[in-house]
Amino acid sequence: MVNKVKTCVFISGKGSNLFSIIKNSRNYYFPIKINLVISNKKNADGLKIAKKYSIPFKFFSSINQDKFEKQSLIELKKKKIKFLCLAGFMKILSKNFIENFGHKIINIHPSLLPRYKGSNTHQRVLKNKDKYSGCTVHFVTPKLDSGKIILQKKVSVSKNDTKESLKKKILKAEHITYSKAIIATFKQFLFEKKIYFNFSVFNTIRTVYRIFIYGQTIHFSKGSFFSFQRIRGSH
Ligand code: GRF
């Protein structure tokens, strides 16, 4: 059985990235399982997605950010969460929260970082008549949109693009890129790779990789590993 990393997703809105991660995480060999969704917006559509897929969810208001972070940390510890994905989460987490959580946090940003940190990325891309934009998945540090880049996807900008059409194109790319970046994140923790010959009842030879992720061990066959690459978007 694949020992999936217990994961929480922070959202603020629609939750289309959450939806694509949920779908991909149902793949037996996907490295994470979503055990918790936290929203800082009471009416975030993403909460309905969590409910539909029977994932525990919480709403904590972030009007008082300190309170939001304290309440979230209690819930993360209670559920033994070891990985946090920010997906359309519109708040900057404090240094104190990042340190207290103590595990990896990743985020998706709708531009090719380091260009266009912060908000209104699509407007700024169009204003500068850039030929390309895209999305970036990166580790979260206290400095906004500045942590180490895990994966980027380039999207071409056409002359006819509006803010809305560009947003739509990039969002489609985000849905695929986020899951690929999650796989890439855990590949970075691979520090032991061994080949075992397993003479089972079927007398087949099976290649097994041993991966240590935060001290956990995952076993999966080579054939299945390649199925990792067929990541689905939400469409
Ligand atoms: C996405 O473009 C995300 O990168 C940004 O918010 C948008 C909405 O995402 N930060 P979602 O549909 O809520 O996942």
Side-chain angles (χ1 to χ4, degrees):
M1 177 65 190
V2 175
N3 199 0
K4 293 184 180 231
V5 178
K6 286 188 170 60
T7 299
C8 174
V9 182
F10 275 14
I11 57 163
S12 298
K14 217 172 130 218
S16 65
N17 279 294
L18 167 70
F19 180 57
S20 70
I21 301 169
I22 291 173
K23 278 205 320 187
N24 287 316
S25 68
R26 297 175 117 202
N27 180 319
Y28 185 86
Y29 296 101
F30 199 74
I32 65 159
K33 180 175 181 203
I34 302 173
N35 298 80
L36 179 64
V37 172
I38 293 179
S39 171
N40 66 330
K41 298 283 172 206
K42 198 174 184 177
N43 297 320
D45 285 342
L47 289 176
K48 292 181 198 142
I49 299 173
K51 194 174 177 194
K52 187 174 169 202
Y53 286 88
S54 307
I55 297 168
F57 60 89
K58 290 272 173 199
F59 154 68
F60 296 131
S61 167
S62 61
I63 293 172
N64 177 338
Q65 176 144 356
D66 193 45
K67 196 172 168 202
F68 168 85
E69 293 188 345
K70 278 186 181 135
Q71 288 175 313
S72 298
L73 276 171
I74 291 170
E75 209 54 34
L76 292 166
K77 291 221 162 84
K78 215 199 286 176
K79 294 250 175 342
K80 297 188 167 57
I81 300 294
K82 299 285 187 287
F83 185 55
L84 176 56
C85 297
L86 311 185
F89 178 65
M90 307 308 278
K91 272 273 161 197
I92 303 164
L93 294 169
S94 73
K95 188 170 183 265
N96 193 42
F97 174 90
I98 295 169
E99 284 173 3
N100 271 317
F101 176 56
H103 303 283
K104 299 283 175 205
I105 307 175
I106 68 173
N107 177 46
I108 190 150
H109 183 75
S111 80
L112 294 173
L113 290 172
R115 288 177 71 83
Y116 307 113
K117 294 175 184 178
S119 52
N120 301 323
T121 55
H122 309 313
Q123 280 115 304
R124 289 187 280 157
V125 164
L126 291 172
K127 196 173 169 219
N128 288 341
K129 298 191 181 356
D130 288 357
K131 291 213 162 43
Y132 294 98
S133 185
C135 60
T136 304
V137 181
H138 62 94
F139 287 108
V140 172
T141 62
K143 211 169 158 205
L144 179 68
D145 299 330
S146 300
K148 194 176 164 218
I149 291 171
I150 303 161
L151 199 63
Q152 293 188 300
K153 176 74 183 165
K154 223 171 169 183
V155 168
S156 56
V157 182
S158 77
K159 277 188 199 150
N160 304 325
D161 266 326
T162 60
K163 196 183 90 184
E164 284 71 31
S165 66
L166 189 56
K167 186 180 170 188
K168 207 171 159 191
K169 276 201 276 189
I170 292 176
L171 199 55
K172 206 171 167 188
E174 288 182 36
H175 298 154
I176 297 165
T177 312
Y178 213 146
S179 289
K180 283 188 172 176
I182 290 169
I183 292 168
T185 301
F186 288 101
K187 273 204 248 172
Q188 287 177 18
F189 294 98
L190 184 152
F191 64 85
E192 188 186 314
K193 188 170 134 182
K194 282 180 180 169
I195 294 173
Y196 292 87
F197 294 102
N198 175 11
F199 297 97
S200 67
V201 273
F202 305 107
N203 202 21
T204 55
I205 298 172
R206 204 171 170 212
T207 305
V208 177
Y209 291 89
R210 177 177 282 183
I211 295 182
F212 287 88
I213 296 166
Y214 301 119
Q216 300 177 67
T217 309
I218 287 181
H219 292 276
F220 54 87
S221 72
K222 192 175 180 182
S224 311
F225 175 75
F226 290 114
S227 72
F228 261 30
Q229 308 309 321
R230 294 201 300 272
I231 291 301
R232 295 178 297 172
S234 70
H235 299 288

